[in-house]
Amino acid sequence: MRPDIKPGATFPDYQLPDHTKTPRRLSELQGDDPLILTLARGHYCPKAHHQLQEFRASVGAQWPFLSDSERAVQKDLDIQEYTDPMNDPLIPHTLVLKPDLVVHKIYNGYWFWGRPSVYDLWQDLRDVSSEIRPDWDLSAPGLREAWEAGDLSHFHGWDKRDPEKLAQLTRDRERLAEMTRDAERMAAVIPDVTETP
């Protein structure tokens, strides 16, 4: 792997065709979420195929497969597996990327046990998410107040919701609060029938 590709660096925003031959940029696929990028030898490698299927099944993920028939990524990242010149494969790598393609962690999978387990990736995603998501810990100071004030900017995904549905949610929340206040007022004026004189 090129020496400049390390934790904290920005990974190149490669554009490659997906399984439908549509050109896709990594940044487009990532959006503002963490990204697990697996640079694999392809379907012909049983170890790589097994690892991808295991991870995909464990998280219920659906993702595109990008193709690099010209081996441009292999050449650019300097990850040719030079011990197999006949097939010219790449050295498998898995990268965990923060938003904006910032490298969090790199796994070198030349040896199978160098590849991350599902549990390794869970931990990496936990670390990245806790760093980038203000709502990772809902007990953090100010979050409840922001939610109750209708400021949803701190809550991942809420900014992508349908504004009409969000407005209805706010109205429903206000109506519930009003009903709660009404019930409390009624309870204050109705004598408690369980009280003994």
Side-chain angles (χ1 to χ4, degrees):
M1 180 71 72
R2 280 182 0 209
D4 63 313
I5 305 297
K6 58 187 177 187
T10 300
F11 194 76
D13 191 10
Y14 295 113
Q15 179 172 319
L16 296 167
D18 69 11
H19 52 283
T20 67
K21 299 189 183 336
T22 303
R24 307 288 293 272
R25 287 205 164 278
L26 292 178
S27 58
E28 167 204 346
L29 295 171
Q30 181 180 39
D32 63 352
D33 292 311
L35 175 71
I36 295 173
L37 177 64
T38 301
L39 304 174
R41 294 179 178 122
H43 193 272
Y44 79 91
C45 176
K47 290 185 288 187
H49 181 71
H50 174 76
Q51 179 194 26
L52 289 172
Q53 294 306 318
E54 177 188 12
F55 180 66
R56 185 176 190 170
S58 73
V59 297
Q62 296 183 7
W63 59 72
F65 285 83
L66 304 181
S67 174
D68 184 17
S69 59
E70 302 299 316
R71 293 181 165 77
V73 173
Q74 176 204 55
K75 292 170 187 161
D76 185 52
L77 294 177
D78 193 23
I79 56 173
Q80 177 195 24
E81 188 177 321
Y82 57 84
T83 58
D84 184 2
M86 184 183 307
N87 294 305
D88 191 28
L90 56 77
I91 300 168
H93 282 77
T94 301
L95 296 99
V96 180
L97 303 172
K98 299 176 188 178
D100 300 319
L101 302 177
V102 173
V103 177
H104 171 72
K105 196 157 200 181
I106 302 170
Y107 293 92
N108 178 326
Y110 176 67
W111 290 98
F112 185 69
W113 49 87
R115 299 174 191 186
S117 69
V118 171
Y119 304 105
D120 293 326
L121 294 174
W122 277 351
Q123 182 62 51
D124 293 333
L125 289 174
R126 184 180 299 126
D127 293 344
V128 170
S129 296
S130 68
E131 181 182 325
I132 66 170
R133 299 278 184 253
D135 62 343
W136 178 255
D137 178 0
L138 287 178
S139 67
L143 280 181
R144 179 183 296 269
E145 294 78 9
W147 179 265
E148 290 172 353
D151 177 6
L152 306 180
S153 63
H154 303 286
F155 300 91
H156 180 68
W158 283 91
D159 58 333
K160 297 175 184 167
R161 301 272 175 116
D162 179 347
E164 197 171 301
K165 288 182 181 177
L166 283 176
Q168 183 62 49
L169 176 67
T170 301
R171 289 190 297 274
D172 292 346
R173 193 176 330 136
E174 289 168 356
R175 178 70 181 128
L176 180 60
E178 182 182 326
M179 290 169 59
T180 302
R181 287 190 299 274
D182 289 346
E184 289 169 353
R185 282 194 293 270
M186 289 175 64
V189 296
I190 298 174
D192 188 348
V193 293
T194 62
E195 288 181 6
T196 56

